Amino acid sequence: MKTFYKICCLIALVGSFSCSDDYFDVNTPSGTADLDQLRINDLLAPVIFRTVEGQYSAELTFGNYTQYFVGQGGTASGETTASGLWSNVYLYSFPNIDVIKQKAEASGAIHYGAVADILKAMNIGIATDTWDDIPLSEASMGDDNLFPSFDTQQEAYDQLFALLDGAISALQSTDDSGISLGSEDLIYNGDLDKWLRAAYTLKARYQLHLVNKGVTSPQDVLTSIENGFTSNDDDFQMFYDDRSINPRYSTEILARNTGNFHNDLASQIVSMMNGDYYPFESDALEIDPRLPVFGTIDNDEDTEWKGYVSGAGGVSPDGTPGNVQFVEGGYYTRADAPIVVITYAEAQFIKAEAEFLANRGTTTSAGTTAEGYEAYLEGIRASMAKYGVDGSAYLDDPAVDVGMDNLMLNHIMKEKYIHNFLNPETFVDFRRYDFSDDVFTGLTVRESEGESGDYAGMWFRRATYPSTELNRNGDVVLANQETPVTPVWWDAE
């Protein structure tokens, strides 16, 4: 498990140049280092840390949108600026990635540069999927350009793919620099083969985003995923420890234990797993074995798992009070739990969906290829193994093992939805299929009881730009601003 003592030191070390325009006219604090004094190895851990923390920050709202959780009392989130993600991307990640790239080019450290490119692609991906048009080509120019223009989402995706393709090529080339990744690599501890597989898996994920737009094909996705993750050992995730605790443990468990605001599990995720939306046919199952890894019933009297309807004031789907909260000590709610970005199981569900679509599947059709069905089953097996539960009875149940000819898109997306619990990628999946209940069984928009404003009863589809950016770069931001219910480029018809 990684220690975060080094991260904290390095974040302080690079603070003098990881800055936005708001900080240009201040004196350099004592104890900081000039860029020339920093080794390339000093920069990677803070970039990884901020990249992963950005994913968590986005999920604070998007997990409510995708009905993994509700606010205490069943509340639904309104529109968001995702300002925490913006800060992690533009204040911390991009500037430091640019410095890594400069130092990598100067020293010929092509493998280090490749890892920096993968991290930049990851930041571009979540940023453009969140806001659509984003500052990119002119970002991180500092006081050379105080009012950066915005690139379109299509341009952002072009750059994202170029970065991943360049990284894939570089990681397969010889690096004679003598500079290698080590313990500062908080994900793979310097294993470049895993970074290569991560690049291919990320490429497949982003290609899948564009299939319904007609920009990429299911076969493009399948070509990439064949070179992607090969087991759960490849999962891209960052562990915390008892000195730097997982922020979700703090937000959910410590907050609840001290009487502060916290979240509870939504009915959508619970109903996917308790047999309501997909009734089990075997007497060996009452619930999905992963459900107790995510949540727990909050009182001793209840035996039936009841999630909270989003925005409905604390009730479950049958009108009685909801009763499922985050479980203390669960996979995501331990002090040392990881933040997970992308996994082998997700890669298998990506493959299963691409095979289904390549077989001319639609949102309501049945039937897939043998390869697609095996990927669906392998994704479930990998998910059960990752969460440390026995999935044998679940995999044997006819409600799950439906057969190649009966597999529908909703079966694949159900399993991906469950496995990707608390992952902001699910917000992309919801938008790709227009929040369809044919694809996400039982899905309904949040209840509007007590909700005011222009967007009651409408699905949120993007974040609005943070006020700090609007104040600093107002004319450019306003030219790109859309309502939070407006589809992003790849989501539009």
Side-chain angles (χ1 to χ4, degrees):
M1 188 171 297
K2 310 296 184 184
T3 176
F4 274 72
Y5 177 76
K6 178 178 287 187
I7 294 179
C8 295
C9 292
L10 289 176
I11 289 173
L13 186 67
V14 300
S16 62
F17 60 85
S18 297
C19 56
S20 69
D21 302 322
D22 296 336
Y23 297 93
F24 283 143
D25 296 324
V26 299
N27 295 324
T28 301
S30 62
T32 58
D34 293 332
L35 294 183
D36 292 342
Q37 296 176 272
L38 297 174
R39 303 170 305 149
I40 190 172
N41 307 71
D42 294 331
L43 306 173
L44 184 62
V47 167
I48 291 174
F49 177 77
R50 288 298 184 173
T51 297
V52 176
E53 285 263 316
Q55 302 274 325
Y56 163 76
S57 178
E59 182 64 6
L60 288 174
T61 299
F62 297 160
N64 192 296
Y65 287 179
T66 56
Q67 299 180 21
Y68 282 135
F69 56 80
V70 294
Q72 185 177 351
T75 56
S77 291
E79 65 177 289
T80 184
T81 63
S83 59
L85 174 62
W86 187 278
S87 295
N88 277 294
V89 171
Y90 286 104
L91 182 60
Y92 298 108
S93 295
F94 277 179
N96 292 343
I97 288 171
D98 290 346
V99 175
I100 292 175
K101 285 292 293 181
Q102 293 167 18
K103 289 182 175 290
E105 290 170 5
S107 59
I110 61 173
H111 290 165
Y112 229 104
V115 169
D117 283 342
I118 294 169
L119 292 168
K120 186 164 188 176
M122 190 178 295
N123 278 281
I124 292 172
I126 194 167
T128 190
D129 290 341
T130 296
W131 291 286
D132 200 4
D133 297 352
I134 55 171
L136 191 53
S137 299
E138 297 180 0
S140 302
M141 294 177 68
D143 53 4
D144 290 333
N145 185 353
L146 298 178
F147 307 104
S149 64
F150 280 42
D151 293 57
T152 67
Q153 185 168 74
Q154 185 172 8
E155 291 168 336
Y157 264 80
D158 288 344
Q159 293 189 51
L160 179 160
F161 287 128
L163 286 166
L164 290 175
D165 286 341
I168 288 167
S169 177
L171 287 171
Q172 296 178 95
S173 301
T174 301
D175 185 330
D176 296 321
S177 68
I179 300 174
S180 59
L181 282 75
S183 60
E184 74 276 11
D185 174 3
L186 303 175
I187 307 299
Y188 296 131
N189 199 33
D191 190 329
L192 295 178
D193 289 336
K194 290 185 177 182
W195 277 105
L196 178 60
R197 292 194 287 274
Y200 273 114
T201 307
L202 285 165
K203 183 178 180 181
R205 175 196 264 188
Y206 292 120
Q207 286 173 321
L208 186 61
H209 294 181
L210 306 186
V211 168
N212 290 342
K213 185 70 174 177
V215 176
T216 56
S217 70
Q219 188 56 53
D220 293 331
V221 178
L222 293 170
T223 298
S224 295
I225 209 67
E226 283 306 305
N227 296 296
F229 291 158
T230 58
S231 75
N232 287 349
D233 290 339
D234 290 338
D235 290 356
F236 193 108
Q237 58 191 356
M238 185 181 74
F239 283 90
Y240 291 76
D241 60 28
D242 56 4
R243 298 184 65 178
S244 181
I245 62 175
N246 181 292
R248 188 166 287 118
Y249 171 77
S250 178
T251 301
E252 304 303 346
I253 305 305
L254 293 183
R256 188 176 73 217
N257 290 346
T258 54
N260 291 304
F261 183 86
H262 58 275
N263 296 301
D264 294 305
L265 265 62
S267 60
Q268 183 64 30
I269 182 66
V270 174
S271 295
M272 285 278 199
M273 303 180 76
N274 68 0
D276 282 354
Y277 291 165
Y278 291 85
F280 299 113
E281 298 184 29
S282 168
D283 293 337
L285 286 172
E286 292 184 358
I287 59 170
D288 186 314
R290 293 166 291 188
L291 182 52
V293 179
F294 301 160
T296 185
I297 297 175
D298 64 10
N299 62 73
D300 296 332
E301 288 75 28
D302 289 349
T303 58
E304 185 177 350
W305 294 74
K306 298 181 180 183
Y308 292 79
V309 175
S310 179
V315 301
S316 67
D318 67 3
T320 60
N323 64 9
V324 185
Q325 61 187 16
F326 280 93
V327 62
E328 186 167 356
Y331 189 87
Y332 293 106
T333 46
R334 307 186 312 266
D336 61 351
I339 297 295
V340 178
V341 178
I342 188 168
T343 64
Y344 169 66
E346 182 187 335
Q348 291 302 301
F349 296 129
I350 288 171
K351 181 177 180 180
E353 182 184 349
E355 288 281 0
F356 183 87
L357 297 176
N359 196 49
R360 301 183 183 278
T362 69
T363 58
T364 56
S365 68
T368 189
T369 63
E371 293 81 4
Y373 193 66
E374 174 55 28
Y376 160 75
L377 295 176
E378 176 62 10
I380 300 172
R381 288 191 288 264
S383 182
M384 296 293 176
K386 182 172 184 63
Y387 292 124
V389 299
D390 182 357
S392 55
Y394 184 88
L395 279 155
D396 288 341
D397 194 282
V400 176
D401 187 7
V402 297
M404 181 180 73
D405 293 337
N406 297 315
L407 187 72
M408 299 182 70
L409 189 59
N410 72 79
H411 297 120
I412 298 169
M413 301 309 290
K414 165 210 171 189
E415 293 298 337
K416 187 180 181 187
Y417 177 76
I418 293 170
H419 173 75
N420 273 2
F421 183 59
L422 303 180
N423 193 314
E425 178 65 11
T426 300
F427 187 40
V428 173
D429 289 340
F430 272 31
R431 289 177 287 169
R432 286 195 297 120
Y433 287 108
D434 198 24
F435 303 89
S436 169
D437 60 357
D438 287 329
V439 179
F440 300 96
T441 299
L443 183 63
T444 58
V445 71
R446 67 195 180 283
E447 296 286 338
S448 298
E449 183 177 318
E451 183 177 350
S452 59
D454 297 330
Y455 309 118
M458 302 175 71
W459 291 104
F460 292 111
R461 308 184 86 108
R462 64 166 76 201
T464 52
Y465 298 110
S467 59
T468 52
E469 187 67 11
L470 181 62
N471 293 336
R472 189 188 63 80
N473 194 16
D475 290 342
V476 178
V477 173
L478 288 173
N480 290 273
Q481 185 70 281
E482 299 285 354
T483 73
V485 296
T486 302
V488 299
W489 164 73
W490 51 250
D491 187 25
E493 293 293 338

